[in-house]
Amino acid sequence: MSVRVRIAPSPTGMAHIGTARTFLFNWLFARQRGGAFVIRIEDTDRERLVPGAVESLIDAIGWLGLDWDEGPEVGGPYGPYVQSERLALYHTHVDQLVQDGNAYRCYCSSERLDQLRKDQQARGEPPGYDRRCRNLSDRERAEFESSGTGSVIRFAVPSEGSTTFDDVIHGSITWENARLDDFVILKSDGYPTYHLAHLVDDHLMEISHVLRGDEWISSTPRHVLLYEALGWEPPAFAHLPAILGSDGKKLSKRHGPTGIAAFQEGGYLPEAMVNYLALCGWSPGTDEEVFSLPELVRRFALERVSKSGAIFDHDKLEWFNGLHIRAQSPAGLAERMRPFLPGKNRDIAAERLEPIARLLQDRLKTLAEVPELTDFFFQDPLDYDLALLVRPGMDNQATARALAAAANLARQVSPFVHEALEAGYRELCLELGLKTTQLFMAVRVAVTGKTATPPLFETMTVLGRDVVISRLEAAAAKLAPN
Ligand code: GLU
C-alpha cells in the first residue's frame, strides 16, 4: 500500500510546538516510506479563524527545512486542499448518510441543549444529546421545516455494541457505543463539523495513515462508525503523545514560548528544533540524542513513539541549540548570526564576520545573544564607564600608565595572535608589578568596554592590531589627560 499522510491544521492560531511536532512525525514517516505528504487546511470553524495562521504554518515549515507534496501553494491531484472550498463534497456525503438512515436532522434549540446539559450535570450524568429528534415522525419534521426552525444534522450512533480500532502506538482500543452521543456532522451554517469533513477528505485523498495528537483518541470511535456507515475502510491510526511542560502538565505559555516564530526569533537553529522535536515522543531506543534530519528519516519508527506524554523542556532545547551551533562551520554560523545583527552591522563582510563567529562558537547558547556579545566589534569609539578600567589596588595614573604600556606592546607583538599576545601581556605584568587580573581586566575593558567577553587574547586577535592599539591609547588618554 502506498503511504499517504497528512497534517490537517485548523487555522485558529499561530504554528506552535505541537503542530510542528505532528508535522515532523508525518513528514519523517512519509519520507521514510517514499510516500506523499499532504497539508489540508481545516477551516470549517468559521468563528475561530485567525488571519495569518496558514502563513505562519508555511513559514514555520520552511524555517524547519521541511516541505510537503500536496496542499496550499503546491496544489495536487486531490484538491482543493482547503475545506471551505469542498463544501459540496461534504453535503453529498451527509445527504447519503441521511438517506441511509445513518443521520438525521435535529431541530433542538441551543436553549434546549443548554438546559439539557445543566440537567445532566445536576444529575451527575455525562453530557450528551438525548436523541429527541432521532425518531421524529414525518409530520413533526414537516412542521419544523415549515416553521423555518434552524437545524443541524446528527449522526445516529448505534445505541448498543462497541467499536474497536487498532492504533499503531496504543494497540487495540474499544469503546462502548453507549458512551457516544449523536454528534453533529453538519452545522446550522451549512458547514460540516471536523468529524465529518476530515473523514470525507481523508478518504477521498486516499490517506493511508492518520498521525495526529492523542487528544483525538476519544473521537476516533465516532470516526470508525462513520467510516462503517459510509462503507469505507478506515486508515491506520497512530495517536501521538501530548506534549507536556517540564512539570508534567500540558505545555502552555506558562512554560515559556510555544509559538514556532518565537523560537526562530529567539535565536534557535532549525536543526536543533527538529532534533529536539523528534525526541518529543520518539526515541531511538539507544541513548543517542543528536540527529540530523537525514538521520531521523532513516531512524524514525512509529513503533518507537511512546504512549505517554512527551516533555518539552526549554533548557534541554537550549542545550541542543548549543550542540548544533558548535556543529556549524564558522562560515555557516556567521551567516546564521547575520540576521541577528542590528541595523547596518548586518552588512559586515563575510571575512570579518567569520572570525567573530569562530570566537563565539563555543559559548553561544542562542543567536539572540549575538548583538550583546558582538556590539564592541562595531562601536567606535567605545562607550563605557571609565571607572571599570581602574582595578582594585590601582589608581587612574597607574592604570593609564599600564594601558599605555599595553598599547606599546600591542604595536610590537608579532605575529598578532593570541598565544603571542598572552605571553607578551604576562611578561608585561611582571615588568609593571601588576597581577594578571589587574592588567588583563583593564585591557579587556579598554578594548571591549565590558568586563565579561570571550577569551581576551582571542578577542584582541579578532579586533586586530590597529583597533586594539587605538582603544588602549584612547582609554589611557581618558584616564590621564595631559
Ligand atoms: N483540524 C484538526 C486539528 O487541527 C485535525 C485533527 C486531525 O489530524 O485529524 O487538530
Side-chain angles (χ1 to χ4, degrees):
M1 176 179 59
S2 69
V3 163
R4 288 180 56 80
V5 293
R6 72 352 178 234
I7 185 162
S10 302
T12 53
M14 298 300 134
H16 56 82
I17 296 289
T19 333
R21 194 280 311 264
T22 302
F23 192 102
L24 177 64
F25 282 24
N26 274 284
W27 186 90
L28 290 172
F29 186 66
R31 293 294 168 261
Q32 181 174 74
R33 302 289 189 96
F37 182 24
V38 177
I39 298 185
R40 182 176 70 231
I41 305 298
E42 301 205 327
D43 60 347
T44 56
D45 194 345
R46 307 306 288 172
E47 278 157 26
R48 293 181 55 223
L49 298 186
V50 170
V54 175
E55 290 73 10
S56 130
L57 177 76
I58 287 175
D59 287 351
I61 297 165
W63 177 63
L64 291 170
L66 307 175
D67 57 2
W68 64 102
D69 307 308
E70 294 171 31
E73 294 189 345
V74 298
Y78 296 83
Y81 293 90
V82 178
Q83 288 190 328
S84 56
E85 296 168 22
R86 300 171 62 82
L87 296 183
L89 285 169
Y90 309 126
H91 288 158
T92 310
H93 291 96
V94 169
D95 291 348
Q96 187 197 324
L97 286 164
V98 173
Q99 259 162 37
D100 295 349
N102 287 317
Y104 59 91
R105 208 165 263 286
C106 165
Y107 303 92
C108 291
S109 64
S110 52
E111 292 76 27
R112 170 166 195 274
L113 297 174
D114 282 346
Q115 192 55 51
L116 181 63
R117 203 170 308 123
K118 281 187 198 134
D119 295 347
Q120 285 165 331
Q121 227 163 29
R123 292 196 298 268
E125 292 170 6
Y129 180 57
D130 63 358
R131 298 179 167 156
R132 190 184 74 159
C133 293
R134 185 154 160 173
N135 298 309
L136 293 179
S137 67
D138 289 348
R139 221 194 43 176
E140 286 167 317
R141 273 184 201 288
E143 270 168 27
F144 276 124
E145 288 294 331
S146 63
S147 68
T149 311
S151 62
V152 299
I153 294 190
R154 292 180 183 272
F155 181 65
V157 172
S159 29
E160 281 160 14
S162 60
T163 301
T164 297
F165 65 96
D166 281 321
D167 186 287
V168 180
I169 297 164
H170 296 262
S172 173
I173 296 181
T174 299
W175 282 68
E176 295 305 318
N177 293 341
R179 285 173 69 191
L180 306 172
D181 74 343
D182 287 358
F183 55 96
V184 174
I185 56 175
L186 192 74
K187 295 179 283 185
S188 55
D189 62 3
Y191 279 85
T193 57
Y194 157 74
H195 297 301
L196 180 96
H198 92 281
L199 182 149
V200 168
D201 289 345
D202 282 348
H203 176 75
L204 296 179
M205 294 180 179
E206 298 189 41
I207 298 303
S208 62
H209 294 72
V210 167
L211 278 55
R212 63 182 168 197
D214 63 7
E215 71 272 25
W216 296 108
I217 288 187
S218 61
S219 300
T220 307
R222 302 167 200 233
H223 304 161
V224 171
L225 288 169
L226 261 176
Y227 277 109
E228 275 171 21
L230 287 161
W232 296 339
E233 194 61 38
F237 295 105
H239 286 96
L240 311 175
I243 302 190
L244 312 173
S246 43
D247 57 0
K249 303 220 170 80
K250 196 172 158 48
L251 187 70
S252 75
K253 296 219 171 69
R254 281 184 301 112
H255 297 104
T258 55
I260 297 299
F263 291 99
Q264 183 176 2
E265 285 154 20
Y268 289 86
L269 295 188
E271 293 91 330
M273 203 71 199
V274 159
N275 188 162
Y276 189 47
L277 283 175
L279 296 171
C280 282
W282 169 78
S283 94
T286 64
D287 54 14
E288 294 158 278
E289 287 192 300
V290 184
F291 296 99
S292 67
L293 202 49
E295 280 163 349
L296 287 171
V297 171
R298 274 200 304 281
R299 301 282 297 275
F300 181 77
L302 263 190
E303 293 69 23
R304 295 213 53 86
V305 173
S306 74
K307 289 193 189 55
S308 51
I311 303 283
F312 182 91
D313 180 343
H314 285 77
D315 292 340
K316 192 77 200 264
L317 171 65
E318 196 173 272
W319 179 81
F320 273 102
N321 206 46
L323 287 185
H324 284 273
I325 283 176
R326 284 178 257 310
Q328 300 289 310
S329 69
L333 178 59
E335 290 318 309
R336 300 300 186 90
M337 286 166 48
R338 188 182 292 281
F340 286 83
L341 292 170
K344 63 176 176 33
N345 295 357
R346 229 169 272 164
D347 302 332
I348 182 175
E351 47 305 351
R352 277 193 62 211
L353 189 54
E354 192 179 316
I356 299 178
R358 193 170 292 151
L359 182 68
L360 299 187
Q361 191 150 22
D362 284 343
R363 61 185 348 240
L364 214 48
K365 293 196 284 282
T366 72
L367 300 176
E369 297 167 330
V370 165
E372 162 89 27
L373 290 173
T374 58
D375 54 2
F376 62 86
F377 285 104
F378 299 94
Q379 285 163 6
D380 189 33
L382 284 184
D383 180 23
Y384 56 89
D385 177 2
L386 283 188
L388 290 177
L389 289 166
V390 185
R391 307 318 299 173
M394 297 180 74
D395 60 15
N396 283 15
Q397 288 304 326
T399 307
R401 275 198 303 278
L403 290 171
N408 253 337
L409 177 58
R411 200 167 277 120
Q412 290 153 23
V413 168
S414 178
F416 197 82
V417 295
H418 72 92
E419 296 87 345
L421 281 165
E422 177 160 0
Y425 279 91
R426 284 191 185 280
E427 225 175 277
L428 187 60
C429 288
L430 295 177
E431 274 169 38
L432 299 177
L434 293 174
K435 289 189 219 134
T436 50
T437 47
Q438 291 174 309
L439 181 68
F440 291 6
M441 190 53 93
V443 170
R444 185 189 303 275
V445 173
V447 299
T448 67
K450 294 172 195 270
T451 52
T453 63
L456 174 61
F457 300 109
E458 287 162 40
T459 305
M460 288 168 81
T461 312
V462 177
L463 281 166
R465 194 194 297 272
D466 294 347
V467 173
V468 167
I469 295 171
S470 86
R471 288 185 179 180
L472 287 168
E473 282 177 345
K478 274 191 226 155
L479 282 179
N482 31 20

